[in-house]
Amino acid sequence: MTDRAAPRRVVLDVDTGIDDALALLYAVASPALELCAVTTVAGNVPVEVAARNSAAVLSHAGAADVPVVVGAPRTTTGAGPRSGPTNHGPDGLGGVRVPPGPRPARTSVRDLVAEAAANAAVTLVGLAPLTNVADLAPLAERLVAVAGELVPEDPPEFNAAHDVDATARVLAAGRPTTLYVADVFEQVSVTPADVDRLRSSDRPAARLAGELLAVRRGHLVGDAGALVLLTHPQLFRVEPRPMALAGRALTEVPGGRLLDVVVDVDAASVARAYVDTLLAVR
């Protein structure tokens, strides 16, 4: 019998948001992942709110020891969080109440990730505007970013467009990079029956995932799909595509940098993998 492969060590950069919270819950629940640290950035909500939400979600999932640090409060050019109403609501969690967790750390995001990467290689997973990721990319073995789109829309995909200077720096960083694009992001939804299964679970993290999915538009797992990509790559089709900024959109452009791009997904199986992991179904 061979030993089980060691878990992949991950750092999550988030703007917690409902689906960032779903991703945090999955990262804690999956035996294939070791969540080393969480960095936060302004995006769906102000950076301080993102940090409080992240710490609360981790504490609820029994992972209060995972360090959470407050990162960039503004984009490279000085913009704050997104404006206007969203499904996430002003509290970021769609009105789902989660008891507070530990106070987020006050170290720098770079110091936190450098410390994590000094022990062993880490994969940096960006689930938010790329302001922090642009600075942290050199420290990571690999990047996975929820960013970009194969079919450009108006407005362009938020994470890449909110800080285009940072997105350009990520493209120029030269790190092995996988993009989990909006075209795939919008496909993975949990069935109402599975939302109910989660909400009725005796596991606190699973119940919280169910409550968040219940208020999530279309029951989309959203950002959490990028974590399922790391643990169940066979459920996704990944192809090299030339990607570059076209105006504010990160999209396929002749002559762009060749990146690994998730172009298709077995959406039902990904949703099932998410639910089964939270319910600890083996």
Side-chain angles (χ1 to χ4, degrees):
M1 178 183 293
T2 59
D3 292 336
R4 176 179 291 180
R8 181 191 291 262
R9 303 177 75 247
V10 295
V11 172
L12 268 58
D13 186 67
V14 296
D15 57 345
T16 307
I18 295 171
D19 53 334
D20 306 73
L22 293 171
L24 290 168
L25 292 169
Y26 185 85
V28 172
S30 173
L33 299 173
E34 178 186 349
L35 181 58
C36 301
V38 175
T39 60
T40 64
V41 68
N44 288 320
V45 292
V47 67
E48 297 276 1
V49 176
R52 290 199 302 269
N53 287 348
S54 300
V57 168
L58 290 171
S59 181
H60 196 79
D65 57 331
V66 175
V68 176
V69 68
V70 176
R74 294 190 174 277
T75 67
T76 307
T77 55
R82 73 195 304 171
S83 59
T86 72
N87 178 222
H88 305 285
D91 66 349
L93 299 179
V96 175
R97 297 193 178 266
V98 186
R103 185 182 297 274
R106 280 294 172 184
T107 186
S108 77
V109 292
R110 190 174 181 86
D111 287 349
L112 179 69
V113 177
E115 181 180 354
N119 297 324
V122 297
T123 296
L124 175 61
V125 185
L127 308 179
L130 298 173
T131 312
N132 288 337
V133 172
D135 290 332
L136 300 175
L139 301 173
E141 179 184 52
R142 167 169 286 278
L143 305 179
V144 176
V146 177
E149 53 205 321
L150 292 175
V151 179
E153 296 189 357
D154 188 23
E157 186 278 323
F158 174 73
N159 287 349
H162 194 57
D163 190 341
V164 292
D165 289 353
T167 299
R169 290 172 58 203
V170 170
L171 291 173
R175 307 306 295 162
T177 300
T178 301
L179 294 182
Y180 189 84
V181 292
D183 317 64
V184 171
F185 179 105
E186 293 290 345
Q187 295 185 45
V188 184
S189 292
V190 173
T191 66
D194 275 342
V195 172
D196 289 342
R197 286 177 65 207
L198 289 166
R199 295 177 79 180
S200 62
S201 172
D202 60 359
R203 297 173 177 270
R207 285 201 306 276
L208 177 56
E211 294 300 325
L212 291 165
L213 282 163
V215 299
R216 173 68 172 152
R217 63 179 178 88
H219 305 322
L220 289 170
V221 302
D223 289 339
L227 277 297
V228 183
L229 169 67
L230 294 178
T231 60
H232 296 73
Q234 74 279 8
L235 301 180
F236 301 82
R237 182 157 60 91
V238 180
E239 296 179 354
R241 295 290 179 92
M243 302 294 288
L245 283 164
R248 298 182 63 80
L250 174 59
T251 191
E252 191 169 3
V253 176
R257 183 184 163 201
L258 275 182
L259 300 177
D260 289 335
V261 178
V262 182
V263 298
D264 201 6
V265 60
D266 180 346
S269 294
V270 170
R272 188 160 53 249
Y274 180 87
V275 172
D276 285 351
T277 298
L278 266 294
L279 293 172
V281 176
R282 299 286 185 260

